[in-house]
């Protein structure tokens, strides 16, 4: 009786086992109510082209959709713990997708969710099946998001790093047990094989040889069905979905040898049970080490959150108005809590200033070197550093929206899309395995018909299946990229997508903005004017312990040029808005901005640039003009980029002579002064010439050029347009971080290409040897394992950026 496929899962069933449903267009048949409901749901959502993408693949029958999940998922406590607030009231939740069979499943889940009102976007990590869903909790509940995925036959659970870590440990334990079983069985099978060979020469009787073969059969069965269970399962689902990989090669080789050995045992021929056990165990050892490497790489991503385990000083008001100070983790801080930030400390949460004023260093946020004066009720952003006296602010944004937290999330999401080289490697592995299967079949038939020895033909074809190693194509490529992203992060280079590494490695021209990228983050004295005699020791005593960048610059210059020491004790010292007031031996010392001294009654002109004025008893004594010179490592880094073959040019809006001087010092072309539109024009002209362009900028005026370039690098991360349009965030203020970004990208890309070459060379040399009968199955398994370890070890080789 001919079987009929189910209209949804496409599995074949006898006609009497299916439910017939008549539609105006055709008669449909379903194996269960679940498949029927999903089929009509997809058509109602206009997603019926899912079946075209599915092709001739099959799915698992759909169990009856469960009732909507409990509102436990929708409670404020749960959402606060497992979701990240976004702009516009949206939330982001990370999910782990289960029952995924192919790319069509991913496509279906994405489009079904996007059809739901309130779901704004869906990003899926194609390697880990981790999905990031942006949704409006006022329009759609999280439980409805999960239930929607259940309705189309899949399962989703909330991603929890702690649970994920426990699952990883359980998986590691299962693999460890399987490895122990494989090693134990293989060692004993080998001893039995040695006894068999010894008995062959010493005249062992047939009954004893048969008993030893039965013992080998039992031990090899343990290895095949316990240690090799993952290979067999992977091969089954691979065949089911027309995907050919290493699991299929290993499984076919081991099963063929195993079945033949059973036949040989009962027909007085030589079995190869030791080969079965060795094949599975040796390959499993390499897979076990690869698993540890993958867990290590994933742990680097998931463990980044631990870098945020710092504490903030929370102010609590007790009964009677008494203020209690306590240290708290930032993720436990609530909106509305008051935080005190001491001098030199960083701000971890966004909020509003409650103190009268504050001086903060904002270079991490917007690249400005000069400190920012913040007044009461003005915003305090995560990433600021207190450059003045202690201040208090009130939190208005959850910690998960802070700068540092967002940076970690960008790293964790960096693999939501596969780079082109990995897509190419995946296709290569698929086609390679198909070719190997063909070669093995030709070897079997050729040696069988031409050589006339089918036993030898079988051994040779098994050796061909086993010795072929596509793992470099399928696994070592993503490991190399993951490690590249993490190495970059450790160097202060944050890639939003792993594909950025591939693009960076191919860049031919780099455009650089001067301010904040080539110049130093610290201010230095450029000019010095004396209006009246003064004691430099008094001035140094006034500013020596102040963390303000201008104070530090003046203090350093005084010590180096005037040989002064902060040896005179101050009778009083106060940090006021815009400057410092101190008293020494009854004399009033003022130091700070021109506006500050003017407000205190000191008469003086308004100079250009960053400045520090100093007066004693209302009389102007000295004026220091400061600027940001070229960073010490800029020249070396630019030359290193040029040695890589990159053309480096400056695109600056600064019309000062310093810009031309810096370009001349670096030996590169300078275009200045330029408007944002003119910067964009330079990038577009380079693109029109067929060049691959990278843009390094730090502010909103660079945003058009950053957006247009193929890969963009932002020297300072901030809450402005540069964040939106930059692919790579340079957390380190050193210009060497630009060189590090290109160096790591080129090395990671090189590792991927090396892995592909290693695998291709290995297979090109050893597959012909196996076809010619020069390699037996155990040696083939050992060779395959060594090749796997070679490409994984190559991926873990240390990158050098010096």
């Amino acid at each position: 009786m001919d079987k009929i496929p189910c209209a949804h899962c496409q599995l074949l069933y006898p006609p009497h086992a299916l439910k017939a449903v008549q539609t105006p267009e055709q008669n449909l048949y379903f194996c269960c109510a679940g498949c029927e409901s999903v089929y009509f749901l997809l058509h109602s959502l206009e997603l019926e082209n899912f079946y075209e993408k599915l092709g001739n693949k099959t799915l698992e029958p759909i169990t009856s959709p469960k009732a909507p999940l409990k509102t436990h998922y929708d409670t404020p406590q749960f959402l606060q713990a497992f979701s990240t607030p976004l702009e516009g009231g949206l939330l982001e939740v990370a999910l782990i997708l289960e029952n995924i069979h192919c790319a069509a499943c991913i496509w279906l889940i994405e489009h079904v969710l996007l059809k739901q009102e309130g779901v704004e976007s869906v990003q899926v990590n194609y390697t880990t099946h981790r999905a990031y869903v942006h949704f409006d909790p006022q329009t759609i509940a999280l439980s409805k998001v999960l239930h929607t995925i259940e309705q189309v036959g899949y399962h989703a659970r909330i991603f929890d790093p702690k649970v994920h870590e426990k699952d990883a440990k359980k998986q590691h334990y299962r693999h460890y047990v399987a490895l122990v079983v494989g090693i134990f069985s293989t060692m004993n099978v080998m001893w039995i094989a040695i006894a068999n060979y010894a008995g062959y020469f010493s005249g062992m009787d047939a009954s004893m040889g048969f008993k030893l073969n039965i013992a080998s059969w039992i031990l090899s069965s343990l290895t095949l069905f316990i240690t090799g269970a993952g290979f067999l399962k992977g091969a089954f689902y691979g065949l089911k979905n027309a995907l050919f990989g290493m699991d299929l090669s290993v499984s076919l080789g081991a099963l063929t040898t195993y079945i033949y050995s059973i036949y040989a045992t009962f027909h007085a021929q030589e079995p190869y049970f030791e080969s079965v056990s060795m094949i599975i165990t040796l390959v499993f050892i390499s897979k076990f080490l690869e698993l540890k490497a993958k867990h290590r790489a994933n742990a680097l991503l998931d463990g980044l959150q631990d870098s945020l385990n710092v504490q903030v000083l929370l102010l609590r008001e007790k009964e009677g108005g008494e203020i209690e100070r306590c240290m708290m983790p930032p993720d436990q801080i609530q909106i509305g809590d008051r935080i005190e930030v001491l001098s030199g400390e960083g701000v971890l949460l966004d909020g509003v200033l409650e103190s009268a004023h504050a001086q903060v260093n904002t270079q991490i946020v917007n690249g400005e070197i000069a400190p920012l004066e913040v007044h009461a009720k003005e915003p305090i952003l995560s990433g600021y550093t207190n450059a003045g006296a202690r201040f208090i602010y009130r939190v208005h944004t959850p910690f998960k929206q802070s700068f540092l937290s967002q940076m970690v999330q960008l790293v964790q999401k960096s693999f939501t899309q596969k780079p082109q080289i990995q897509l190419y490697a995946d296709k290569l592995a698929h086609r390679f395995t198909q070719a190997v299967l063909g070669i093995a079949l030709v070897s079997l038939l050729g040696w069988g018909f031409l050589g006339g020895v089918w036993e030898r033909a079988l051994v040779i074809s098994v050796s061909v299946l086993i010795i072929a190693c596509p793992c470099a194509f399928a696994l070592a490529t993503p490991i190399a990229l993951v490690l590249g992203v993490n190495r970059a992060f450790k160097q202060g280079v944050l890639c939003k997508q792993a594909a950025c590494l591939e693009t960076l490695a191919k860049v031919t021209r780099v455009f650089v903005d001067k301010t904040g990228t080539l110049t130093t983050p610290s201010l230095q004295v450029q000019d010095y004017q004396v209006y009246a005699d003064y004691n430099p020791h008094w001035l140094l005593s006034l500013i020596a312990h102040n963390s303000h960048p201008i104070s530090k610059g003046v203090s350093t210059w005084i010590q180096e040029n005037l040989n002064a020491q902060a040896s005179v004790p101050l009778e009083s010292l106060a940090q006021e808005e815009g400057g410092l007031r101190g008293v020494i031996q009854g004399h009033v010392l003022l130091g700070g901005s021109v506006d500050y001294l003017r407000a205190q009654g000191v008469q003086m002109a308004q100079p250009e640039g960053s400045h520090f004025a100093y007066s004693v008893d209302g009389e102007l004594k000295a004026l220091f003009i400061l600027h940001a010179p070229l960073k010490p490592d800029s020249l070396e880094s630019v030359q290193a980029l040029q040695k890589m073959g990159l053309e480096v040019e400056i695109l600056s809006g600064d019309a000062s002579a310093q810009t031309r001087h810096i370009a001349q010092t670096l030996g590169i072309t300078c275009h200045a002064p330029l408007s944002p539109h003119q910067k964009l024009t330079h990038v577009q002209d380079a693109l029109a010439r067929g060049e691959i362009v990278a843009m390094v900028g730090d502010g909103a005026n660079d945003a058009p050029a950053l957006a247009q370039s193929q890969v963009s690098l932002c020297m300072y991360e901030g809450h402005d347009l540069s964040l939106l349009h930059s692919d790579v965030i340079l957390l380190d203020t050193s210009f060497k971080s630009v060189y590090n970004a290109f160096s790591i990208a080129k090395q990671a890309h090189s590792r991927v290409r090396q892995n592909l070459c290693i695998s291709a060379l290995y297979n090109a040399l050893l597959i012909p040897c196996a076809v010619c009968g020069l390699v037996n199955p155990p040696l083939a398994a050992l060779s395959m394992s060594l090749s796997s370890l070679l490409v994984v070890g190559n991926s873990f080789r240390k990158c050098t950026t010096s």
Side-chain angles (χ1 to χ4, degrees), residues 768-794:
C769 293
V771 172
C772 295
L774 302 178
V775 179
N776 58 24
L779 183 58
L782 179 61
S783 300
M784 180 184 180
S785 301
L786 292 177
S787 70
S788 300
L789 297 178
L790 183 60
V791 292
V792 173
N794 185 58

Side-chain angles (χ1 to χ4, degrees), residues 248-283:
L248 182 60
S249 298
V250 173
S251 298
L252 281 178
L255 280 174
T256 304
T257 307
Y258 180 77
I259 294 171
Y260 170 79
S261 298
I262 296 174
Y263 170 84
T265 298
F266 292 97
H267 290 78
Q269 297 182 20
E270 182 181 354
Y272 293 95
F273 288 119
E274 71 278 5
S275 297
V276 175
S277 198
M278 283 191 64
I279 289 168
I280 295 295
T281 302
L282 288 174
V283 177

Side-chain angles (χ1 to χ4, degrees), residues 145-446:
V145 173
L146 299 176
H147 183 61
T148 300
I149 298 174
E150 295 274 1
Q151 282 184 305
V152 292
Y154 303 95
H155 180 66
R157 55 184 173 87
I158 303 295
F159 171 72
D160 184 347
K162 296 180 180 178
V163 175
H164 185 69
E165 183 180 357
K166 290 181 180 178
D167 291 343
K169 289 181 178 179
K170 290 180 180 178
Q171 184 185 25
H172 182 271
Y173 177 76
R174 290 195 298 267
H175 280 73
Y176 181 76
V177 171
L179 178 63
V180 170
V181 171
I183 293 176
F184 170 80
S185 300
T186 301
M187 291 177 64
N188 284 278
V189 167
M190 290 305 300
W191 282 115
I192 293 174
I194 292 173
N196 258 326
Y197 292 135
Y200 175 80
F201 293 104
S202 62
M204 180 188 299
D205 60 65
S207 62
M208 180 55 69
F210 179 77
K211 292 176 182 179
L212 290 177
N213 289 339
I214 294 296
S216 297
W217 181 11
I218 295 173
L219 290 170
S220 65
S221 298
L222 292 176
T223 305
L224 180 62
F225 297 111
I226 295 179
T227 308
F231 299 127
L232 298 175
K233 184 177 180 181
F236 171 76
Y237 282 108
L239 283 174
K240 183 178 179 181
N241 295 283
L243 297 176
F244 304 96
M246 185 182 66
D247 289 343
L248 182 60
S249 298
V250 173
S251 298
L252 281 178
L255 280 174
T256 304
T257 307
Y258 180 77
I259 294 171
Y260 170 79
S261 298
I262 296 174
Y263 170 84
T265 298
F266 292 97
H267 290 78
Q269 297 182 20
E270 182 181 354
Y272 293 95
F273 288 119
E274 71 278 5
S275 297
V276 175
S277 198
M278 283 191 64
I279 289 168
I280 295 295
T281 302
L282 288 174
V283 177
F284 188 84
I285 288 174
S286 69
K287 292 293 290 183
F288 180 77
L289 295 176
E290 288 171 2
L291 178 69
K292 289 179 69 69
K294 187 175 181 181
H295 283 171
R296 175 181 168 188
N298 287 335
L300 289 172
L301 292 179
D302 295 332
L304 288 177
Q305 196 72 31
D306 295 337
S307 64
L308 305 180
N309 288 336
V310 292
Q311 295 187 322
V312 297
L313 184 57
L314 173 66
L315 302 182
R316 286 177 175 170
E317 186 172 351
K318 302 174 67 176
E319 295 183 3
E322 183 182 354
I323 300 298
E324 177 188 17
R325 288 174 167 83
C326 57
M327 302 300 294
M328 294 284 291
D331 57 355
Q332 295 182 18
I333 300 299
Q334 304 294 320
I335 294 177
D337 285 347
R338 299 168 70 237
I339 304 296
E340 183 175 15
V341 183
L342 303 180
S343 180
E345 290 186 345
V347 178
L348 297 181
L349 300 103
D350 296 346
V352 175
L353 183 66
E354 285 200 346
S355 299
H357 69 276
Q359 283 188 319
V360 292
N361 189 321
T362 65
Q363 64 179 32
I364 294 179
V365 173
N366 57 21
E368 292 295 329
I369 299 174
L372 174 69
E373 294 284 343
V374 183
H375 301 282
K377 296 185 179 180
E378 290 184 349
I380 291 288
L381 301 179
S382 171
Y384 285 177
T385 301
N386 186 1
R390 65 174 62 192
F391 63 82
I392 298 173
Y393 74 100
R394 189 176 296 274
V395 175
H396 68 51
T397 304
F399 173 64
K400 289 184 179 180
Q401 286 184 294
S402 69
F403 163 68
L404 295 178
S405 183
Q406 288 180 0
M407 293 304 95
V408 171
Q409 291 175 33
L410 285 175
V411 174
Q412 292 174 335
K413 295 178 187 176
S414 61
F415 281 84
T416 54
Q417 295 179 354
K418 284 189 178 182
Q420 288 297 319
I421 193 168
Q422 187 174 340
L423 293 173
Y424 169 76
D426 291 344
K427 292 179 180 178
L428 191 60
H430 178 75
R431 294 174 180 173
F432 171 79
T433 306
Q434 289 179 313
V436 169
L437 292 176
I439 293 173
L441 180 61
V442 171
S443 301
L444 175 65
L445 298 178

Side-chain angles (χ1 to χ4, degrees), residues 604-759:
M604 60 181 301
Q606 176 70 52
E608 294 183 358
S610 298
H611 49 271
F612 179 88
Y614 172 61
S615 70
V616 179
D617 295 332
E619 180 185 6
L620 181 65
K621 297 293 186 179
L623 182 69
F624 300 83
I625 307 298
L626 298 95
H627 75 138
L630 193 66
K631 294 178 181 178
D633 56 6
S634 291
L635 177 59
E636 180 183 355
S637 299
V638 167
Q639 291 175 344
L641 291 174
Q642 291 173 328
K643 289 180 180 179
M644 288 182 179
L646 301 176
E647 295 290 336
V648 185
E649 298 181 11
I650 295 177
L651 302 182
S652 178
D654 188 356
S656 68
Q658 185 191 17
T659 304
R660 303 285 179 183
H661 175 70
I662 287 176
Q664 185 177 8
T665 302
L666 297 175
I668 59 179
T669 304
C670 174
H671 305 281
L674 297 178
S675 67
H677 179 73
Q678 290 172 325
K679 289 185 179 183
L680 174 61
T681 301
H682 278 276
V683 172
Q684 291 175 332
D685 290 344
L687 294 174
R689 295 193 297 269
E691 298 189 63
I692 300 178
V693 177
M695 174 69 191
V696 185
D698 69 332
N701 64 325
D702 298 316
L706 289 168
Q708 190 67 32
S709 59
Q710 279 133 320
V711 60
S712 52
L713 302 91
C714 182
M715 179 60 72
Y716 299 110
E717 164 55 21
H719 298 268
D720 57 13
L721 292 177
S722 62
L723 167 64
L724 299 177
H725 297 296
S726 56
D727 303 306
V728 180
I729 309 299
L730 304 175
L731 303 179
D732 187 359
T733 59
S734 167
F735 187 75
K736 189 178 180 181
S737 61
V738 178
Y739 165 71
N740 288 343
F742 284 95
S743 177
I744 293 174
K746 286 182 177 293
Q747 291 190 60
H749 195 257
S750 175
R751 298 288 160 79
V752 172
R753 288 185 282 118
Q754 288 170 8
N755 289 341
L756 296 177
C757 291
I758 289 171
S759 183

